[in-house]
Amino acid sequence: MTDNANTNNVVDEYQKTKNKEELKGHLISFAMMIVATLIAFGIVASGVMGKIYAIPVLVLLAVVQVAFQFYYFMHLKEKGNSMTALLIYGGIWAAALTVTGLGAITWW
Amino acid sequence: MSVTATQKRGLGSAIWDYLTTVDHKKIAHLYLAGGGLFFILGGIEALLIRIQLMKPENDFVSAGLYNEIITMHGTTMIFLAAMPLLLGLMNAAMPLQIGARDVAFPFLNSLGFWLFMLGGILLNCSWFMGGAPDAGWTAYAPLSTTSPGHGVDFYILGLQIAGAGTLMGGINFLVTIINMRAPGMTYMRMPLFTWTTFITSILILFAFPALTIGLFLLMFERLFGAAFFDVSLGGNAIIWQHLFWIFGHPEVYILILPCFGVFSDVFSTFSRKRLFGYTAMVFSTIVIAFLGFMVWAHHMFTVGLGPVANTIFSVATMAIAVPTGVKIFNWLATLWGGRITVNSAMLWSLAFIPSFTIGGMTGVMVATVAADYQYHDTYFVIAHFHYVIVGGTVFGIFAGLHYWWPKMFGRILNEALGKTAFWLFFIGFHLTFFIQHFLGLMGMPRRYWVFLEDQGLDTGNLISSIGAFFMAAGVIIFFINIIYTAAKGEKVSGDPYDGRTLEWSIASPPPHYNFKQLPLVRGLDPLWIEKMEGNGKMTPAEPLGDIHMPNNSFIPFMISFGLFIAGFGFIYHNDNMIGTIAMFGGMAIALLSMLTRSVKDDLGYHISKEELEKEAE
Amino acid sequence: MSHHDVLHPETLPAEPEKATLEGRNKYLGFWFFLGGETVLFASLFGTYISLRNSTADGPSAHDMFGLDLVFIMTILLLTSSLTSVYAMYHMKNNAFKKMMLWLGITGLLGLGFLSLEIYEFTHYITEYGFTFRSSAFGSAFYTLVGFHGGHVTFGILWLASLMIRNAKRGLNLYNAPKFNTFSLYWHFIDVVWVFVFTVVYLMGKVG
Ligand code: HEM
Ligand SMILES: [Cu+2]
């Protein structure tokens, strides 16, 4: 078995620039994720918000951050992934129902 | 490995072949054999229940044993009989229906089967190791958390292992259907059975994880001292009920939707008509699946969730009756004006319509909250779910077996025996369960060991028990039919029914690569289109060329075996050293097998063009 | 495609992880697996949320949790998500060595996260006597956070075996899908953690 690690470094230029563009997008989303995290921790550490406001905001920040992960880091937004995305929405739907059900009506 | 390997060989190599096979058609045989075995076991348990309830205050079995029998009957029938039999039919037919050479993950397919099989065996080992689980198939806490002995532990570990296998099956079918359809086979040209397999797989994917977690919590509670359901430490027993039914209600649709697919294909084939309202059939399936996730608390109306929650779940539940009704009318319209052949497959399908409709109507009745306070935990509910599960799922499985048997084995099941089995079972089924509606309305609670004399329950229970024996006779005749057919059954061509879909365009049984050349699909019911507008044969979509096939592997069995050993280990690790050793040893076997799989390249092999040409001669 | 073309391709296509049918299947199948994992974790979160106040007079979330440690853990894991993006970037450019380097960094960050988590658990046990068996809250906490930690552990082991197995092979159409699924898995672990720190720690602190 020959090592082919260096036999084929011929990814074409067009592709290279495209990959670079994409990486830039990823860096921006990473920055956004860090910002969301900082805000979330900031809200709690500073105690500026009461419980009733803080919790929805925290959840919202988490959702935004996760959307970045899914759409950019995990490429869910790309075309050809529409079936995947559809099914993942189904999963999120089932997950949301589960959390709501258990969270809301266990002690009713 | 080459084509010759599948030809004549001894028993030993046949066993080895099945232990290592990754061919969806052979895995289908395995699922059907395994599911059939557990169906017999569950059936025997059912007979024992009915013998015990044949007369008032009977002492045929003890109260404790009775609890074990009803628990194992429900658990076995749902998880180890109905589901695997359905997975068997899916494996047998779905890849052929979409014109694929195999499933997307042949290795996982095999792993899924062995996990189911060894999980089922583990669960049944409880009979010989101190007693079976006895907390009902629903295993409600705190009954399940306080049940003494190891019975419930077997339930937990057995279902955990079998459930993991099912989950893999679901993912496998999803990817197969999305990625491996033949050229021209668009989503809206897929046969209904393929569609329902697809939707069912989605349900499996999103419902089983809730059970997985529920079982983990129960296991942590029973074996590792956790306190999820322990009220004295702040726990809450209702959490189990939620998790169980978040899984459990989708599960009942997992059981029925594939059968809807079978009936659709059977009705259309034997009415010699295109399925009426194909699009509506597809969308009603999707709607049922979607709604199926929002109704679980209808099993918990009497828990005390309060009027608001109960109302929401009641309305959502009743809404499901609408898409189900759409289906019933479409089947009737398919039959309407068709040139109908009534054979065994068709008999089971025709009988399904009224039987299942009764179950649907009692479903709406129990979904009415105020009334359910009366029905809940009585024989009325037993009657309801047996009408849908037997009248729907079991009838569907029999219909599917009769329909695809010639495709799977090249021989057609005997019609006379088939019809006899049907009539015995059909009559027995209604005898057993129709009367239970009334027993329930008269107040007979479910899961009780005995009932008292002269409360108006005697005759009804006797009738019900007699019916059970009719059903057993039907099943026995069906098995005789299998043996008879294997020995002397009539051999048939690839297309015995003048079929409409792709599976009928190839030989029976199909060659192990299914399609020599992938077919070009020109519309719904592709074979029928070619029969009407073409030369009666599928046009190839590609020139004859090498075919890529997956390698057989023993690793799936080893992984499952490791988990099987580890299962015993978890159950006994608090009792003795051997348990602990089994726990770690079993996990090590499983993980090392997985590692082997991961580091060893497995690229499959090719059947060359020359070999294929030679075979044609 | 012959075996040789898969293992020793002349040139690597733009998306080597999706160039073969097996690769495409793996990609899709793994996404669906993650869909199932979503419901799995939802069940754990639901359980945790309903038991978060069931402390049975033992220590509560508010008493124990500190934000500093969780913040560092969060940054470690978030960064490791980015480094695995870099690894995939280099994979698509067919720069094998760089890919391995970034994967290595990803694994180390994961290890850092895991060590802090173990430290955290020991801290709760020794300082507060807060265990898996203390209360329903304890069971729910360790199960949820532990399930996530278990996923991290499995991920690190998986990554290590992938890197060792392919250290001398370079990229090909057979292993590219494997690296890619690993990176999907790793992102998913990060996704779950975002909800863990939000629901368990931040909301625990808020009350
Ligand atoms: C129109 C459709 C349906 C409706 C409205 C419906 C409604 C209900 C309700 C409300 C219950 C709970 C009754 C109680 O415990 O008091 C129930 C129980 C049950 N249903 Fe259905 N159902 C429907 C169809 C089905 C189908 C298609 C299946 C399976 C193939 C099924 C299987 C079951 C089972 C197994 C139980 C009992 C579980 C147990 O407690 O052990 N149902 N149904
Ligand atoms: Cu239900």
Side-chain angles (χ1 to χ4, degrees), chain B residues 249 252 298-299:
Chain B
H249 189 81
V252 306
H298 65 214
H299 295 273

Side-chain angles (χ1 to χ4, degrees), chain B residues 245 248-250 252-253 295-296 298-299 317 384:
Chain B
W245 289 117
H249 189 81
V252 306
Y253 283 100
V295 299
W296 78 87
H298 65 214
H299 295 273
T317 303
H384 156 67

Side-chain angles (χ1 to χ4, degrees), chain B residues 78 137-138 140 245 249 251-253 255-256 260 298-302 317-318 320-321 324 356 359-368 372-373 375-378 381-382 384-386 388-389 392-393 446-447:
Chain B
I78 300 261
W137 83 283
T138 49
Y140 275 15
W245 289 117
H249 189 81
E251 166 71 11
V252 306
Y253 283 100
L255 291 175
I256 196 65
F260 286 176
H298 65 214
H299 295 273
M300 302 165 62
F301 282 152
T302 58
T317 303
M318 290 182 189
I320 297 193
T324 315
F356 185 83
M361 288 187 324
T362 53
V364 177
M365 290 171 73
V366 286
T368 314
D372 189 55
Y373 271 78
Y375 306 135
H376 182 63
D377 267 350
T378 70
V381 172
I382 305 284
H384 156 67
F385 72 71
H386 282 91
V388 280
I389 291 188
T393 307
R446 67 190 283 198
R447 290 177 174 162

